[in-house]
Amino acid sequence: MKTRLTELIGTEYPVIQGGMAWVAEYHLAAAVANAGGLGLIGAASAPPEVVREQIREAKKLTDKPFGVNIMLMNPNSDEVAKIVIEEGVKVVTTGAGNPGRFMDAWKEAGVKVIPVVASVAMAKMMERAGADAVVAEGTEAGGHIGESTTMTLVPQVVDAVSIPVIAAGGIADGRGFAAAFMLGAEGVQMGTRFVIAKESIVHENYKQKLIKAKDIDSEVTGRKNGHPVRQIRNQLTREYLKLEENGASLEEMEKLTLGSLRKAVIDGDVKNGTVMAGQIAGLLKKEETCREIIEDVVNGGMRLLEKGWK
Ligand code: TUI
């Protein structure tokens, strides 16, 4: 299946795996790459040398292209930006900020740059700065989010830029894939569905929490402090929202969430840890391989697109 995105990044399918903190490590990235999608290593807040090691491990598991996601709120992002060039990474995606200051160095090194954006203004700015494509991520997504829904954001970004647009937020099956293409996207990015992939190293408790989740089980914390994060409701979100309601200090809130994503992903503490997931978690049914996931999404989507509205 060829789109401008597959041409750009050299994958078989127009499917990108989200660069999820703690979750998107090299086993998952390589499995997605081997299944024909673009796997990503999520640098998140990992020490830069750990990111380098992750890239080298992924290379041992796949000869297909894969990328690195750089979370721009991380103070280490300058160093990680250099490492991706040194290690010959083919694609970089960015989140939670403006990657403008790295753009020239990446372009000069031949790295394809795909910023994740949550607004039309940011998409236009990224195109002007030389981005090769953008991921337009709606507020249905898990983790750090913007305000607009995927349904409204994607067509407005498509109309505003001429580079390829990849839709993200709320997509986990063939119906979401087809809908994204109907909105003008030329690819999709999925996070939540890959969290429960067989190759994902996420703790079984976390996977089961997502499989059991219903449509309304996610909650957004941090709206008041400017860092809204979507996650599955639990003891931690209840405590957090209570503190937020009572006007607690940033320090108090940070005490609660420090290391909380690791607690859920690695230790399996889904009560006191942060269980980031998108609103589509309610659709998830079972653990499958990355190949099964990608084939289900692409084949299901293509069947719908060929069938039309009937
Ligand atoms: O980045 C994400 N999702 C994330 S990052 C993350 S790590 C984290 N951990 C704990 C607390 C907070 C974050 C978890 N999930 N998605 C991409 C994304 N980017 N969504 C929204 C944005 C965004 C927001 C503002 C992109 C650009 C932007 O512009 C800011 C500016 O500088 O104008």
Side-chain angles (χ1 to χ4, degrees), residues 71 73 95-98 116-118 122 137 142-146 229 276:
M71 208 274 280
M73 288 193 303
N98 182 347
V116 179
V117 300
M122 195 68 180
E137 186 186 85
H144 180 67
I145 48 169
V229 172
M276 290 189 195

PDB file of all heavy atoms in Angstrom, residues 71 73 95-98 116-118 122 137 142-146 229 276, ligand 1:
ATOM      1  N   MET A  71      10.842  13.503  23.101  1.00  0.00           N
ATOM      2  CA  MET A  71       9.876  14.248  23.900  1.00  0.00           C
ATOM      3  C   MET A  71      10.554  15.567  24.289  1.00  0.00           C
ATOM      4  O   MET A  71      11.538  15.568  25.038  1.00  0.00           O
ATOM      5  CB  MET A  71       9.518  13.412  25.126  1.00  0.00           C
ATOM      6  CG  MET A  71       8.150  13.680  25.674  1.00  0.00           C
ATOM      7  SD  MET A  71       8.150  15.026  26.808  1.00  0.00           S
ATOM      8  CE  MET A  71       8.751  14.194  28.259  1.00  0.00           C
ATOM      9  N   MET A  73       9.880  18.138  26.100  1.00  0.00           N
ATOM     10  CA  MET A  73       9.914  18.673  27.469  1.00  0.00           C
ATOM     11  C   MET A  73      11.105  18.112  28.251  1.00  0.00           C
ATOM     12  O   MET A  73      11.442  18.605  29.317  1.00  0.00           O
ATOM     13  CB  MET A  73       8.623  18.328  28.214  1.00  0.00           C
ATOM     14  CG  MET A  73       7.428  19.118  27.725  1.00  0.00           C
ATOM     15  SD  MET A  73       5.982  19.005  28.811  1.00  0.00           S
ATOM     16  CE  MET A  73       5.670  17.282  28.903  1.00  0.00           C
ATOM     17  N   GLY A  95       7.413  15.215  20.128  1.00  0.00           N
ATOM     18  CA  GLY A  95       6.155  15.483  20.811  1.00  0.00           C
ATOM     19  C   GLY A  95       6.325  16.500  21.911  1.00  0.00           C
ATOM     20  O   GLY A  95       7.452  16.753  22.372  1.00  0.00           O
ATOM     21  N   ALA A  96       5.196  17.081  22.321  1.00  0.00           N
ATOM     22  CA  ALA A  96       5.134  17.947  23.488  1.00  0.00           C
ATOM     23  C   ALA A  96       6.008  19.187  23.370  1.00  0.00           C
ATOM     24  O   ALA A  96       6.632  19.618  24.339  1.00  0.00           O
ATOM     25  CB  ALA A  96       5.481  17.155  24.750  1.00  0.00           C
ATOM     26  N   GLY A  97       6.047  19.776  22.180  1.00  0.00           N
ATOM     27  CA  GLY A  97       6.794  21.021  22.030  1.00  0.00           C
ATOM     28  C   GLY A  97       7.183  21.310  20.591  1.00  0.00           C
ATOM     29  O   GLY A  97       6.727  20.633  19.665  1.00  0.00           O
ATOM     30  N   ASN A  98       8.054  22.314  20.453  1.00  0.00           N
ATOM     31  CA  ASN A  98       8.466  22.806  19.129  1.00  0.00           C
ATOM     32  C   ASN A  98       9.908  22.374  18.822  1.00  0.00           C
ATOM     33  O   ASN A  98      10.835  22.823  19.497  1.00  0.00           O
ATOM     34  CB  ASN A  98       8.349  24.334  19.161  1.00  0.00           C
ATOM     35  CG  ASN A  98       8.706  24.957  17.824  1.00  0.00           C
ATOM     36  OD1 ASN A  98       9.259  24.304  16.943  1.00  0.00           O
ATOM     37  ND2 ASN A  98       8.380  26.231  17.683  1.00  0.00           N
ATOM     38  N   VAL A 116       4.901  15.758  15.901  1.00  0.00           N
ATOM     39  CA  VAL A 116       3.506  15.545  16.300  1.00  0.00           C
ATOM     40  C   VAL A 116       2.954  16.906  16.714  1.00  0.00           C
ATOM     41  O   VAL A 116       3.571  17.608  17.531  1.00  0.00           O
ATOM     42  CB  VAL A 116       3.387  14.542  17.467  1.00  0.00           C
ATOM     43  CG1 VAL A 116       1.931  14.360  17.882  1.00  0.00           C
ATOM     44  CG2 VAL A 116       3.995  13.196  17.077  1.00  0.00           C
ATOM     45  N   VAL A 117       1.818  17.279  16.141  1.00  0.00           N
ATOM     46  CA  VAL A 117       1.222  18.586  16.430  1.00  0.00           C
ATOM     47  C   VAL A 117      -0.218  18.398  16.892  1.00  0.00           C
ATOM     48  O   VAL A 117      -0.850  17.380  16.603  1.00  0.00           O
ATOM     49  CB  VAL A 117       1.257  19.518  15.187  1.00  0.00           C
ATOM     50  CG1 VAL A 117       2.685  19.750  14.724  1.00  0.00           C
ATOM     51  CG2 VAL A 117       0.402  18.969  14.053  1.00  0.00           C
ATOM     52  N   ALA A 118      -0.703  19.418  17.609  1.00  0.00           N
ATOM     53  CA  ALA A 118      -2.071  19.352  18.112  1.00  0.00           C
ATOM     54  C   ALA A 118      -2.879  20.567  17.654  1.00  0.00           C
ATOM     55  O   ALA A 118      -3.979  20.796  18.134  1.00  0.00           O
ATOM     56  CB  ALA A 118      -2.052  19.262  19.637  1.00  0.00           C
ATOM     57  N   MET A 122       0.647  25.101  14.670  1.00  0.00           N
ATOM     58  CA  MET A 122       1.903  24.357  14.853  1.00  0.00           C
ATOM     59  C   MET A 122       2.245  23.570  13.588  1.00  0.00           C
ATOM     60  O   MET A 122       3.424  23.489  13.208  1.00  0.00           O
ATOM     61  CB  MET A 122       1.748  23.418  16.061  1.00  0.00           C
ATOM     62  CG  MET A 122       3.039  22.875  16.561  1.00  0.00           C
ATOM     63  SD  MET A 122       4.049  24.164  17.302  1.00  0.00           S
ATOM     64  CE  MET A 122       5.465  23.214  17.761  1.00  0.00           C
ATOM     65  N   GLU A 137      -2.410  14.943  16.053  1.00  0.00           N
ATOM     66  CA  GLU A 137      -2.879  14.077  17.147  1.00  0.00           C
ATOM     67  C   GLU A 137      -4.040  14.715  17.892  1.00  0.00           C
ATOM     68  O   GLU A 137      -3.897  15.787  18.483  1.00  0.00           O
ATOM     69  CB  GLU A 137      -1.718  13.806  18.113  1.00  0.00           C
ATOM     70  CG  GLU A 137      -2.068  12.803  19.190  1.00  0.00           C
ATOM     71  CD  GLU A 137      -0.944  12.668  20.219  1.00  0.00           C
ATOM     72  OE1 GLU A 137      -0.913  13.472  21.169  1.00  0.00           O
ATOM     73  OE2 GLU A 137      -0.109  11.786  20.047  1.00  0.00           O
ATOM     74  N   GLY A 142      -3.761   8.956  24.143  1.00  0.00           N
ATOM     75  CA  GLY A 142      -3.251   8.806  25.497  1.00  0.00           C
ATOM     76  C   GLY A 142      -2.073   9.727  25.727  1.00  0.00           C
ATOM     77  O   GLY A 142      -1.504  10.287  24.792  1.00  0.00           O
ATOM     78  N   GLY A 143      -1.708   9.912  26.993  1.00  0.00           N
ATOM     79  CA  GLY A 143      -0.543  10.732  27.338  1.00  0.00           C
ATOM     80  C   GLY A 143      -0.827  12.218  27.228  1.00  0.00           C
ATOM     81  O   GLY A 143      -1.969  12.672  27.430  1.00  0.00           O
ATOM     82  N   HIS A 144       0.204  12.980  26.902  1.00  0.00           N
ATOM     83  CA  HIS A 144       0.131  14.441  26.823  1.00  0.00           C
ATOM     84  C   HIS A 144      -0.679  14.831  25.588  1.00  0.00           C
ATOM     85  O   HIS A 144      -0.359  14.404  24.487  1.00  0.00           O
ATOM     86  CB  HIS A 144       1.559  14.983  26.738  1.00  0.00           C
ATOM     87  CG  HIS A 144       1.649  16.470  26.647  1.00  0.00           C
ATOM     88  ND1 HIS A 144       1.277  17.280  27.680  1.00  0.00           N
ATOM     89  CD2 HIS A 144       2.075  17.269  25.657  1.00  0.00           C
ATOM     90  CE1 HIS A 144       1.465  18.537  27.321  1.00  0.00           C
ATOM     91  NE2 HIS A 144       1.949  18.557  26.105  1.00  0.00           N
ATOM     92  N   ILE A 145      -1.694  15.651  25.758  1.00  0.00           N
ATOM     93  CA  ILE A 145      -2.637  15.897  24.656  1.00  0.00           C
ATOM     94  C   ILE A 145      -2.945  17.375  24.471  1.00  0.00           C
ATOM     95  O   ILE A 145      -2.734  18.189  25.366  1.00  0.00           O
ATOM     96  CB  ILE A 145      -3.986  15.151  24.905  1.00  0.00           C
ATOM     97  CG1 ILE A 145      -4.469  15.416  26.342  1.00  0.00           C
ATOM     98  CG2 ILE A 145      -3.851  13.687  24.587  1.00  0.00           C
ATOM     99  CD1 ILE A 145      -5.890  14.960  26.599  1.00  0.00           C
ATOM    100  N   GLY A 146      -3.488  17.680  23.274  1.00  0.00           N
ATOM    101  CA  GLY A 146      -4.025  19.006  22.992  1.00  0.00           C
ATOM    102  C   GLY A 146      -5.534  19.009  23.181  1.00  0.00           C
ATOM    103  O   GLY A 146      -6.081  18.115  23.830  1.00  0.00           O
ATOM    104  N   VAL A 229      -2.730  15.174  30.706  1.00  0.00           N
ATOM    105  CA  VAL A 229      -2.274  13.811  30.388  1.00  0.00           C
ATOM    106  C   VAL A 229      -3.452  12.844  30.499  1.00  0.00           C
ATOM    107  O   VAL A 229      -4.063  12.721  31.566  1.00  0.00           O
ATOM    108  CB  VAL A 229      -1.144  13.375  31.360  1.00  0.00           C
ATOM    109  CG1 VAL A 229      -0.791  11.906  31.167  1.00  0.00           C
ATOM    110  CG2 VAL A 229       0.100  14.236  31.160  1.00  0.00           C
ATOM    111  N   MET A 276      -1.204   5.403  31.187  1.00  0.00           N
ATOM    112  CA  MET A 276      -1.541   6.229  30.026  1.00  0.00           C
ATOM    113  C   MET A 276      -2.197   5.368  28.951  1.00  0.00           C
ATOM    114  O   MET A 276      -1.735   4.266  28.659  1.00  0.00           O
ATOM    115  CB  MET A 276      -0.281   6.890  29.455  1.00  0.00           C
ATOM    116  CG  MET A 276       0.286   7.970  30.352  1.00  0.00           C
ATOM    117  SD  MET A 276       1.595   8.881  29.519  1.00  0.00           S
ATOM    118  CE  MET A 276       2.335   9.724  30.904  1.00  0.00           C
TER     119      MET A 276
HETATM  120  O1  TUI B   1       3.875  14.064  23.335  1.00  0.00           O
HETATM  121  C1  TUI B   1       2.848  13.454  23.220  1.00  0.00           C
HETATM  122  N1  TUI B   1       2.410  12.585  24.150  1.00  0.00           N
HETATM  123  C2  TUI B   1       3.063  12.296  25.319  1.00  0.00           C
HETATM  124  S1  TUI B   1       4.556  12.901  25.809  1.00  0.00           S
HETATM  125  C3  TUI B   1       4.456  12.047  27.229  1.00  0.00           C
HETATM  126  S2  TUI B   1       5.693  12.101  28.435  1.00  0.00           S
HETATM  127  C4  TUI B   1       4.944  12.845  29.729  1.00  0.00           C
HETATM  128  N2  TUI B   1       5.003  12.193  30.864  1.00  0.00           N
HETATM  129  C5  TUI B   1       4.444  12.706  31.959  1.00  0.00           C
HETATM  130  C6  TUI B   1       3.815  13.926  31.910  1.00  0.00           C
HETATM  131  C7  TUI B   1       3.720  14.599  30.738  1.00  0.00           C
HETATM  132  C8  TUI B   1       4.282  14.037  29.603  1.00  0.00           C
HETATM  133  C9  TUI B   1       3.316  11.342  27.270  1.00  0.00           C
HETATM  134  N3  TUI B   1       2.565  11.490  26.189  1.00  0.00           N
HETATM  135  N4  TUI B   1       2.060  13.586  22.126  1.00  0.00           N
HETATM  136  C10 TUI B   1       2.371  14.509  21.109  1.00  0.00           C
HETATM  137  C11 TUI B   1       1.807  15.836  21.413  1.00  0.00           C
HETATM  138  N5  TUI B   1       2.434  16.938  21.221  1.00  0.00           N
HETATM  139  N6  TUI B   1       0.596  16.075  21.931  1.00  0.00           N
HETATM  140  C12 TUI B   1       0.481  17.438  22.040  1.00  0.00           C
HETATM  141  C13 TUI B   1       1.675  17.968  21.591  1.00  0.00           C
HETATM  142  C14 TUI B   1       2.076  19.308  21.457  1.00  0.00           C
HETATM  143  C15 TUI B   1       1.706  20.261  22.392  1.00  0.00           C
HETATM  144  C16 TUI B   1       2.155  21.565  22.258  1.00  0.00           C
HETATM  145  C17 TUI B   1       2.895  19.684  20.403  1.00  0.00           C
HETATM  146  C18 TUI B   1       3.327  20.964  20.268  1.00  0.00           C
HETATM  147  C19 TUI B   1       2.957  21.895  21.187  1.00  0.00           C
HETATM  148  O2  TUI B   1       3.403  23.149  21.005  1.00  0.00           O
HETATM  149  C20 TUI B   1       3.922  23.821  22.079  1.00  0.00           C
HETATM  150  C21 TUI B   1       4.678  25.021  21.620  1.00  0.00           C
HETATM  151  O3  TUI B   1       5.878  25.087  21.926  1.00  0.00           O
HETATM  152  O4  TUI B   1       4.048  25.830  20.944  1.00  0.00           O
END
